[in-house]
Amino acid sequence: MWVDAICINQDDIPERNLQTANMRAIYQHAASVAVFLGLENNRSRAALQFARDLNSCASIEEVRRFVGDRDRKESIEGLVTLFRRQYWWRIWVIQEVSSAQEAVVYCGEDEVPWTELDRVCDLLLEASEELQSLFYKHPSYIRTLTHGGPRGLQLSRFSPNLAAPPLLELLLSHKSKKSTDPKDKVYALIGVSGSVDTFGTIDYSQTMREVYTHTAHHIITTSNRLDVICVKQHDISQYSLPSWAPDWTRPPSNSGATIVGLHHHQPPFTASGSSLADAEFLSHGYVLKASGFILDTIESVGMAYKPSPRRPPSDVAPALNVFHDWWNIFVGSHSNSVASQAVFGRTISCGNWEHDDENLYARKLDAIFALSDEVLEGSDMLRLDPPSRSSTNSGFGMMQLSGSTPSLVASEEEDQLMYNGDQEEKLQLSAILSAGLTMNRRRLFISQGNLVGLAPAAAEVGDMVCILLGCRYPVILRANYQGGGYKCIGEAYVDGYMYGEAMRGLDDGTQEVRNFVIH
């Protein structure tokens, strides 16, 4: 059957009917698919015009000048709102877009080709410095503009060119999507994944515990990897799932910022080297027996950072309080040297701050300490041994502003002071907001052997930092769980052990593989 065009408002059709009607086949054979985002409002017309004008830029330099023009800030904010409309969050929409030969996006009376709107994300990514300058108080805007909207419906952000990516990649790419039936967070992706012929029966009569446990079981057995056990969507305990099986339901809207998992890091971490999982399943598939070794045991932990959803992102006082708590714990076992500051900087950012020059870590920490002097003035928070700011402030500013062009006004001293003050505020806020993304739902830990890392907020003193074969990330396990087994608390960033360094212990005999029975 060939369809000349198809225009469907997803809100008018039950999601279950979309599956039973084999909508994927319909979209594959449609000559064109019309995507209706809704009526014109919240500057949507200006946003789509901005998208057209951005696509007409002749060079990357022109793109950056265009985006950096403050007169267009409202249009870009309109694009943020457009990219956050409900359409983009529906799980079944992924089949519609991934299967379409051609698509046109409509909003009110405006229209724009899907490919043109999708290209906007790439162009805005090229102008990320200009976006950071405009929205330094709202880092989530930048994420929406570069990874939201049409880019959020890309089949897999990890393997964009694969026609049928691995199921775990799809689940990670779309874990924030909404579905009326929580089972559809998995079932809606099976047909466009590499698991279409191996997953088994799509059975809505199964319980959520059965569906999500089977999903994790399937991913582990078909990939020979344990990465799936590290996924953590939220802190809600429901469905009586094993601790190694992720709950794929979308976090509640009042739960605050979502957890930024270690799978976002590029290049990918490889804590267990190139090893494959050595795993088997017990107790009818609800207990995982996996091989690995203990890297160390947690000796001390910092405060858990759980930002309140009621506070605006620009309110950095809670993050600064946790930052100081972590710093105080850190300097209790490490020096205040530039090398140590690099360790601390890499750790609180989960490795996202990566600099060859260790002084750059010190400068970022220095910016955070400078901001806290103002924000936490009068606070009773104990602040120990802050990094020296005598030689880093000006360098930090010059480092960050290397790609920026100041306004060419008369170079009067007071104008320059005002400009420098504005830039300093941006730099300070950018540093703590950047760190806050990875600090979220985590806590600093120091191990008995003085390893430094970030663990899930639920981690405790006495938990074990483990390397499991076939897992890209170190894992926190808790012993003596349910009669002598282990509970998986979640993934961990351990500075200096994210790229297979711990595996050398197996070669030199200092580490020995053992089994962990994880409930």
Side-chain angles (χ1 to χ4, degrees), residues 321-334 344 369 381-386 444:
N321 274 306
V322 173
F323 170 85
H324 280 294
D325 176 75
W326 292 3
W327 175 255
N328 293 348
I329 292 173
F330 176 78
V331 295
S333 57
H334 292 72
F344 187 75
F369 271 97
M381 170 59 67
L382 178 65
R383 285 171 274 176
L384 300 177
D385 301 323
L444 184 88

Side-chain angles (χ1 to χ4, degrees), residues 292-296 451 465-467 469 497 501-514 516:
F293 54 90
I294 299 173
L295 189 60
D296 210 344
L451 301 182
V465 185
C466 300
I467 301 293
L469 302 185
Y497 289 89
E501 295 88 345
M503 299 298 289
R504 298 170 192 157
L506 297 181
D507 298 329
D508 61 24
T510 57
Q511 294 286 1
E512 185 175 346
V513 172
R514 54 175 292 179
F516 298 91

